[in-house]
Amino acid sequence: MATIAELEVGEPAARAAQAAVVASSDLPDLPAEKMVLNMGPSHPSTHGVLRILLELDGEIITKAAPDIGYLHRGDEKIAENMTYTQFIPYTDRLDYLAPLANNVAYALAVEKLMGLDQQLPPRCQFIRVICCELARISAHLLGLGAFAMDVGALTVFMHTFTEREKIYNLCEALTGARFTTSYTRIGGLSRDLPPGWAGQCRKFCREVVVNFDESEKLLTRNRIFVDRTRDVGVISKELAIDYGLSGPNLRGSGVEHDLRKAAPYLVYDQLQFDVPVGSVGDCYDRYLVRMEEMRQSVRLLHQCLDRLPGGADNPSREPVNVPDAKTVLPPKDKVLTSMEELIHQFMLVTQGVNAPSGEVYFGAENPKGELGFYINSKGGGTPHRLKIRAPSFVNLSILPVLLPGHLISDVVSILGSIDFVMGECDR
């Protein structure tokens, strides 16, 4: 694996002197010097804050060293000085293309620590699955649109972004925010579905499948797109496993591993869906896997909306939070009329939930792969240590062995097919 120190970058003056000697000598067949090229951090295909040092022999890459850390966020350290609930908005900023899914994964990790994961009301679990699948569609729509734009297909980006805007409208109606949602709470949700929201979601599900068909017509048999992606960036099944890849990047290499089936959480074990896998492991396979994953997410959304306890508008008032005033903020009307409820709210806001000591790990199947939270607790309302397994960080680790042997133009295709977000990489 190449490191930045191993890449040979000659001094300009020395290189100029050597060139002058070669020009004045009678040795025209001297080996050419390899060139080091900075790709990023401003290159649009590197998402703005990824720098890759490429050592080139002509246009062939011989070494590649990713240089990360330009966001230097420190989320894991910040978590040690915040209550469990106060850290929820920070999870929005990890994979900021799927904040709802990040919220759910983090809440499930804390609930596992507190022993609440088996006490969540059914309606809460179904709504959380709806949130996760909407986030998956949203992230894949932008990822595929940006991937297509990187290799020259601008129209696809317009199509996918139009549908993604509809998801933002649903998020705004559900959470009050379009981008940073902070919707989940430890032990439940911040609020129930608003009236008419389920109908809007069904309407979106009917419309977005039309967009999938349009995007596939523009890409799947497009000669330029196929030539830029087929047999490019091939990751074998063994290599994907060795480097700990997860999500569509792992399944694109033919490994049928999805945490929603391998280690089911919420109500995924009650729902029917298929896990798409690739056969070659190239950029084209990873594109096909994400396209089919979105169709399966729509299938899951229909099932959740059909089986939602309490129905669409919940006339029977099915709960969305665990019935524990020491974990979930009590209703405002009770806070204003009961001293005990007021004390519970004061303690929750100032000190946080009283978590037991111990350590847990929970991994969720996020759009980019396995988003995991390891929590080490010594009791009280704040974690002693918190570690985030960011799928984008792990997936990028394969670049030093994947890029060598490819052309410079292939780097853009490979990066787009890996579909990473630097927000969670530089957590």
Side-chain angles (χ1 to χ4, degrees), residues 49 69-79 87 89-96 102 179-180 388 421-427:
V49 284
Y70 285 86
L71 285 181
H72 49 77
R73 317 182 86 181
D75 280 350
E76 296 169 345
K77 196 65 180 176
I78 290 172
F87 189 67
Y90 284 82
T91 63
D92 294 334
R93 279 81 175 169
L94 295 173
D95 177 4
Y96 40 76
N102 302 336
F179 198 63
T180 48
I388 303 170
V421 166
M422 295 306 294
E424 68 178 7
C425 182
D426 293 343
R427 65 213 175 286

Side-chain angles (χ1 to χ4, degrees), residues 70-385:
Y70 285 86
L71 285 181
H72 49 77
R73 317 182 86 181
D75 280 350
E76 296 169 345
K77 196 65 180 176
I78 290 172
E80 298 173 16
N81 300 291
M82 289 191 160
T83 67
Y84 290 103
T85 302
Q86 285 174 335
F87 189 67
I88 291 174
Y90 284 82
T91 63
D92 294 334
R93 279 81 175 169
L94 295 173
D95 177 4
Y96 40 76
L97 306 179
L100 283 169
N102 302 336
N103 294 165
V104 171
Y106 171 71
L108 285 169
V110 180
E111 287 157 4
K112 183 177 180 181
L113 172 67
M114 299 181 63
L116 298 174
D117 49 337
Q118 302 300 319
Q119 302 177 30
L120 294 172
R123 183 175 177 85
C124 167
Q125 297 189 50
F126 274 95
I127 293 176
R128 284 187 176 185
V129 170
I130 291 173
C131 291
C132 289
E133 297 311 314
L134 280 175
R136 193 178 318 279
I137 297 173
S138 175
H140 284 351
L141 282 173
L142 181 63
L144 290 174
F147 180 23
M149 186 167 60
D150 287 345
V151 296
L154 178 61
T155 307
V156 179
F157 183 80
M158 302 299 181
H159 280 275
T160 58
F161 216 83
T162 299
E163 296 304 311
R164 190 165 173 267
E165 195 67 17
K166 297 175 184 177
I167 297 179
Y168 274 2
N169 291 337
L170 290 172
C171 290
E172 185 176 18
L174 177 63
T175 71
R178 297 173 67 82
F179 198 63
T180 48
T181 53
S182 303
Y183 179 54
T184 59
R185 294 293 181 270
I186 310 305
L189 305 168
S190 62
R191 60 182 68 83
D192 199 355
L193 300 181
W197 190 90
Q200 298 171 23
C201 189
R202 288 184 189 276
K203 181 174 181 289
F204 164 76
C205 290
R206 291 192 298 268
E207 293 174 352
V208 75
V209 292
V210 178
N211 179 274
F212 298 158
D213 295 337
E214 292 175 343
S215 298
E216 283 199 302
K217 287 179 181 178
L218 289 168
L219 290 178
T220 305
R221 298 182 63 185
N222 183 296
R223 178 65 182 271
I224 297 174
F225 182 77
V226 172
D227 287 348
R228 291 292 304 273
T229 56
R230 183 166 287 173
D231 297 326
V232 174
V234 177
I235 304 174
S236 67
K237 181 184 298 187
E238 295 75 19
L239 192 63
I241 294 172
D242 288 346
Y243 274 81
L245 302 191
S246 58
N249 294 314
L250 176 65
R251 294 188 286 273
S253 296
V255 182
E256 189 176 347
H257 178 76
D258 189 312
L259 288 173
R260 295 173 294 175
K261 283 189 178 290
Y265 52 96
L266 297 175
V267 291
Y268 278 112
D269 56 347
Q270 304 175 29
L271 305 172
Q272 300 296 319
F273 65 100
D274 299 320
V275 179
V277 295
S279 56
V280 180
D282 55 9
C283 295
Y284 190 69
D285 268 0
R286 292 189 280 275
Y287 151 73
L288 292 176
V289 165
R290 289 189 177 92
M291 188 63 73
E292 181 58 28
E293 277 193 7
M294 291 192 291
R295 296 185 186 278
Q296 295 300 320
S297 291
V298 171
R299 183 181 171 190
L300 285 167
L301 287 172
H302 279 301
Q303 293 178 63
C304 289
L305 292 170
D306 291 340
R307 300 170 58 180
L308 189 63
D313 295 332
N314 197 16
S316 58
R317 295 188 177 276
E318 292 288 325
V320 295
N321 291 303
V322 295
D324 183 1
K326 294 185 178 181
T327 302
V328 179
L329 287 176
K332 185 62 68 176
D333 57 341
K334 292 186 178 180
V335 173
L336 297 175
T337 56
S338 167
M339 177 58 70
E340 185 179 21
E341 304 290 348
L342 177 63
I343 292 173
H344 284 323
Q345 168 157 315
F346 178 79
M347 298 295 287
L348 277 174
V349 172
T350 57
Q351 298 181 17
V353 295
N354 187 23
S357 58
E359 57 183 24
V360 298
Y361 174 82
F362 179 82
E365 190 64 44
N366 257 37
K368 303 291 184 287
E370 181 181 347
L371 174 65
F373 290 92
Y374 164 78
I375 301 174
N376 185 304
S377 170
K378 290 191 174 181
T382 60
H384 175 62
R385 291 286 185 270

Side-chain angles (χ1 to χ4, degrees), residues 405-422:
H406 288 88
L407 297 170
I408 301 176
S409 58
D410 292 333
V411 178
V412 180
S413 300
I414 292 171
L415 292 179
S417 73
I418 291 177
D419 188 25
F420 54 91
V421 166
M422 295 306 294

